[in-house]
Amino acid sequence: ADTMPILAIQGPHGAANARVGRAFTRPLHAAATAAGVPLAWRRVRTARSLTGCLQRLERAQVQRAQVQVVLLDAGDLATDDHALRGTALRQAIEELPMPYIEVQDDAAHLLEPRLHPRHAPLVTVVLRHQLEHAYALALSIALRRLASPAPLHPLSRRGLSWAGTRAGPRLGGALSRGVALGHETGFDSGSTLD
């Protein structure tokens, strides 16, 4: 099977969509190729297609190891509160079996502060009105991570131990109303103290 160690998933960027074409991705592909790492690119137009892309990625990962790092850019989708309502997108992010880097050119468009997923980004890169530079920085972080020692295999002793550790809070949410509330609201002190 072909491997794609880095996958960029990019949502729409309104007026900036004109500049998010081949000229935008060419230097990123060149940097990845120079490092000997394949870079794949997926563009999504709706929150539903973003959720589906993340879910397909999770299913493919279960079948065979492919993507090792995701560059996640929801673009303008993050400002659509109606589209983000519900838990499908948050659950898809939480169930990603690999680290992700959230990339944006505007902090108001970040998913993490809106969704409060338990699987937080490895790092968040925001460079106001400089999407090209934000991607370049995120890609360099991903390439450096891939050059580091190999991540834990999910079926190794330590991998299984961490899987159990991550499953603990989910079990706690099923057994405790307070922990369940924390999962729903992102463990912010305001709603959990009310």
Side-chain angles (χ1 to χ4, degrees):
D2 292 330
T3 61
M4 307 178 287
I6 300 175
L7 173 64
I9 303 173
Q10 185 179 52
H13 279 272
N17 268 342
R19 65 185 165 106
V20 183
R22 287 188 193 267
F24 177 87
T25 61
R26 190 175 295 123
L28 298 169
H29 279 286
T33 300
V37 176
L39 171 64
W41 208 275
R42 301 285 184 271
R43 289 197 171 87
V44 296
R45 294 182 185 264
T46 65
R48 185 179 200 164
S49 62
L50 173 59
T51 301
C53 185
L54 294 171
Q55 290 169 336
R56 283 188 303 278
L57 182 60
E58 177 195 344
R59 285 191 299 269
Q61 199 71 14
V62 169
Q63 295 169 359
R64 61 197 178 282
Q66 285 187 334
V67 176
Q68 295 178 23
V69 179
V70 172
L71 306 182
L72 180 58
D73 170 11
D76 297 337
L77 299 176
T79 61
D80 185 354
D81 289 330
H82 177 71
L84 297 181
R85 221 173 280 147
T87 61
L89 181 56
R90 182 176 71 191
Q91 184 175 352
I93 291 172
E94 289 174 353
E95 293 177 358
L96 275 177
M98 76 284 297
Y100 69 98
I101 298 172
E102 191 167 358
V103 184
Q104 263 299 348
D105 63 351
D106 188 338
H109 293 188
L110 290 172
L111 286 173
E112 196 272 333
R114 291 171 177 271
L115 297 177
H116 305 288
R118 290 184 301 259
H119 179 39
L122 176 66
V123 66
T124 301
V125 178
V126 180
L127 295 175
R128 187 142 176 86
H129 304 300
Q130 297 183 31
L131 191 60
E132 297 90 350
H133 297 293
Y135 267 98
L137 180 57
L139 179 62
S140 68
I141 292 168
L143 291 170
R144 186 172 182 110
R145 175 158 178 104
L146 292 176
S148 307
L152 291 177
H153 188 279
L155 297 179
S156 70
R157 178 186 283 180
R158 288 184 60 213
L160 290 170
S161 172
W162 278 109
T165 301
R166 285 191 306 271
R170 285 185 224 163
L171 178 61
L175 301 175
S176 164
R177 201 176 109 197
V179 174
L181 176 64
H183 286 305
E184 291 171 15
T185 62
F187 293 97
D188 66 352
S189 60
S191 59
T192 55
L193 293 177
D194 288 343

